[in-house]
Amino acid sequence: MADDNLHDSPIADLLDLHTCTHGQLLALMAELGQPAFRAKQIEDWVWSKGVSSPAEMTNLPKALREALILRTASGGATELGRQASRDGSRKYLLQFKDGAAVECVGMPGPRKLSVCVSSQAGCAMGCVFCATGRSGLVRSLTAGEIYEQVMHVRNDFNTRVTSVVLMGQGEPFANYDETLKALRRLNAPDALNIGARHLTVSTCGLIPQILRFANEPEQFTLAVSLHSTIQKTRNALMPGVRRFSLVHLYAALGEYTDKTGRRPTYEFALIEGINDTDEEIDSLCNFCRGTLCHVNIIQLNEVSGSPFRPSTPERARIFVDRLARVGVEATIRNSRGSDIDAACGQLRQRFIR
Ligand code: SAH
Ligand code: SF4
């Protein structure tokens, strides 16, 4: 588990078990007169078993458990609220020690558990249809805090996590380093061992980071939120990415697919009268034609106080048919947990004013 790039504990004199390096843990073991293998045992509790309280680390000697209680802190998120959907999904609102709160969702399926996590508390990108975007950025999360959300969901469902998507609150590529560390830890054989292809990052289109992501050695999956391929409409919907024009985004995605040979997913949430017009369909077909991609047509989740409404299901089918005619695969994504405020930022809005 050696990962010497993880940050030091935010609490100055306590070692945070979710963010400390292997080296720091070894140093603490030495200081406490403990053999080095205890560090591995502790990491196993934190990263594989999802236990962060030393009191529960039953294979450690009692004296060490007591010393750890005094000398360490754990990410220690508190569950502030939860909602369960009729479709089996559960959404959680977790709060970290400094008060920052984020959402994560568990979506079970046959022999599957998909988990959606947040990369930041809030988001600075300001997308107008997004509950998170409307309330601004609180702070970025550490790799440990991203990981901890997955463990929280795993422990609640008490089953193996088969995939993780960074589609909760926040823009993962505005928190690139911590996001990558979290993905690597999720992928690590001695942690959750989730295949890289089953770890997906969704970005609103930060071009330098898309290019950087293309050069990472792991086969992580990329999703890009398009929502319009007409510059004027996209600028209005997603003001935070105005400076990354669609022409440049198109070129960057070309580089990404050339380099990786992998198929990015394009997210397109249909908003009635805004981005579901015939002109938008033509433009989207042109953007995707002849490229390696998969389009997800999403039913917009309604955000309270927002003027935007979802398009009709017929409109969604027209998008899929027209894309199919130019050889582009598209699916209409059922919005899971729509009865539990599953859209990005909605649960948080309900609990934190
Ligand atoms: N910031 C990243 C990832 C988090 S948002 C991004 O924007 O890609 C995850 C997905 O939810 C994005 O595709 C985003 O556009 C979408 N989304 C946000 N608000 C939504 C809403 N009200 N209805 C449907 N999808 C929404
Ligand atoms: Fe941020 Fe993504 Fe919401 Fe846009 S859609 S405000 S990038 S979380």
Side-chain angles (χ1 to χ4, degrees):
M1 285 294 307
D3 183 351
D4 291 324
N5 295 320
L6 288 176
H7 280 327
D8 289 351
S9 163
I11 306 164
D13 46 354
L14 296 181
L15 196 64
D16 188 326
L17 292 179
H18 274 93
T19 55
C20 71
T21 64
H22 186 67
Q24 285 173 312
L25 203 49
L26 281 177
L28 181 63
M29 290 306 109
E31 196 190 319
L32 297 174
Q34 293 287 333
F37 74 84
R38 297 284 182 214
K40 188 81 197 87
Q41 284 181 311
I42 294 167
E43 284 168 340
D44 191 47
W45 281 107
V46 175
W47 301 115
S48 297
K49 300 196 180 79
V51 167
S52 48
S53 158
E56 294 172 44
M57 300 181 182
T58 46
N59 60 353
L60 303 182
K62 192 160 176 273
L64 175 57
R65 274 183 269 160
E66 282 165 3
L68 287 175
I69 290 169
L70 297 175
R71 298 294 301 275
T72 63
S74 61
T78 314
E79 189 180 301
L80 281 190
R82 68 158 68 194
Q83 291 179 326
S85 166
R86 283 186 294 273
D87 68 15
S89 310
R90 293 176 206 162
K91 176 160 180 160
Y92 313 80
L93 180 66
L94 303 184
Q95 186 170 46
F96 299 109
K97 290 225 164 76
D98 68 346
V102 298
E103 291 163 19
C104 50
V105 185
M107 294 161 284
R111 291 185 304 282
K112 273 183 16 187
L113 177 62
S114 304
V115 178
C116 172
V117 296
S118 299
S119 56
Q120 299 182 303
C123 182
M125 307 311 294
C127 302
V128 295
F129 49 84
C130 169
T132 310
R134 287 151 57 106
S135 46
L137 177 67
V138 178
R139 70 167 171 87
S140 286
L141 302 187
T142 62
E145 288 169 337
I146 298 171
Y147 192 95
E148 206 181 332
Q149 296 169 63
V150 181
M151 290 313 263
H152 190 90
V153 178
R154 190 201 82 146
N155 290 351
D156 194 48
F157 279 90
N158 195 23
T159 182
R160 188 181 137 71
V161 176
T162 48
S163 65
V164 175
V165 292
L166 277 117
M167 287 191 185
Q169 284 170 251
E171 169 48 45
F173 281 174
N175 185 22
Y176 191 94
D177 292 342
E178 295 301 305
T179 294
L180 250 280
K181 276 178 223 160
L183 291 178
R184 293 205 164 119
R185 194 147 255 180
L186 291 165
N187 182 225
D190 58 353
L192 287 188
N193 199 14
I194 303 168
R197 284 166 186 271
H198 302 289
L199 297 171
T200 302
V201 177
S202 176
T203 179
C204 58
L206 303 187
I207 291 175
Q209 289 88 330
I210 290 174
L211 297 176
R212 203 172 149 193
F213 201 57
N215 286 300
E216 301 295 353
E218 297 89 352
Q219 303 205 315
F220 297 130
T221 297
L222 176 69
V224 177
S225 300
L226 275 183
H227 304 312
S228 175
T229 51
I230 296 176
Q231 194 65 60
K232 200 161 154 255
T233 313
R234 196 165 193 266
N235 287 351
L237 290 176
M238 306 173 72
V241 279
R242 262 175 203 205
R243 66 187 188 283
F244 300 116
S245 70
L246 283 161
V247 175
H248 288 125
L249 181 61
Y250 182 85
L253 290 166
E255 247 184 274
Y256 174 88
T257 50
D258 284 351
K259 175 96 198 169
T260 63
R262 295 198 300 276
R263 183 183 296 268
T265 301
Y266 298 154
E267 309 286 328
F268 203 110
L270 291 184
I271 311 176
E272 193 172 59
I274 307 280
N275 64 357
D276 65 349
T277 60
D278 290 343
E279 197 193 352
E280 288 278 355
I281 300 182
D282 292 340
S283 171
L284 181 62
C285 288
N286 286 335
F287 192 91
C288 298
R289 189 197 308 261
T291 70
L292 205 55
C293 69
H294 183 96
V295 179
N296 272 337
I297 300 294
I298 302 161
Q299 191 74 10
L300 184 82
N301 271 302
E302 290 197 56
V303 174
S304 71
S306 158
F308 300 116
R309 299 285 165 259
S311 306
T312 59
E314 293 71 52
R315 210 61 206 146
R317 275 194 292 275
I318 293 171
F319 264 70
V320 172
D321 292 346
R322 285 284 312 279
L323 285 163
R325 271 193 253 153
V326 295
V328 177
E329 254 181 51
T331 16
I332 300 174
R333 232 192 30 209
N334 287 331
S335 187
R336 293 202 57 182
S338 51
D339 56 328
I340 56 163
D341 302 335
C344 183
Q346 289 184 1
L347 184 61
R348 185 174 187 281
Q349 259 195 344
R350 178 169 296 203
F351 281 84
I352 296 173
R353 301 271 159 204

